[in-house]
Amino acid sequence: REAMKHALQSRPFLLVAGAAGLASIGLNTVTALGTYVNIYYVHGGDMRAAAVIGGLQFTISVGFIIFCTPFMSGLARWLGKRGALFVCLGLAMAGTIAKWFFYTPAHPYWIIGVVFLLGPANAGLRIFADAMIADVCEHESLRHGLRLEAMYGAVFAWMLKTGLALAVMASGFMLTLTGFHVDLGAAQYPETLLWLRVLFSFFPTAAIVASCALLAYYPLTASHMAGVRAELDRRAQIKDAGVPSEPPAPPA
């Protein structure tokens, strides 16, 4: 209980966990809606054609995420972790807005284009968020003298998994709210298709904007963390030398 108390009272932790959680919820809530937009709007109810293009899109998406992952460390060295995460969130926002234009009956294969925006975003979101949680652990260790990596990792994972579960549940409510009726098949109402597209494209955009707003207040910059690590190394050397260490610094 004491360790969880420290985790939930850490402002940097809550900011990065909230930012990652909002982005994850926004992107995952509408994942199921994409199937319906693809089938009933792009392909007019032709499930076979929609399945072929949807499968191709998913395969390319996974391959592109794997391709992008090795470049994430270079992006972090260039812009810092927070800056790199901002770039990923920006790509995610561009990708969600692009859905409005790329999911079109006139050009069914255009839906593959969003992969090249959302792929790097999905690759970087978890990588940089996890790396920033590691910085939080060192920052809080300097403040309190406690190593709580396991607790921060557990609470962060729980928040993301809970958010994913809520997103899956919310997607079903969203589908119902659009007025979708499976019995209508390809003859869905025009307003139903419109609301499917609006939610599919712009609900995650709103969540990503909120995520960026939280991330803007995240205080652990590269220069700050360099100072934290230098002080932790100094204390470790004092401890190894058998000299009593000074008490933890008071919270900033």
Side-chain angles (χ1 to χ4, degrees), residues 6-40:
H6 280 294
L8 296 179
Q9 288 180 344
S10 170
R11 181 172 175 268
F13 173 77
L14 293 177
L15 286 171
V16 67
L22 281 171
S24 178
I25 289 172
L27 292 170
N28 286 294
T29 298
V30 299
T31 298
L33 297 185
T35 301
Y36 293 90
V37 174
N38 183 24
I39 294 173
Y40 294 101

Side-chain angles (χ1 to χ4, degrees), residues 17 21 27 75 80 91 149-150 161 176 181 221:
L27 292 170
L75 184 63
L91 288 172
E149 287 88 341
K161 292 179 187 298
T176 301
H181 293 284
T221 61

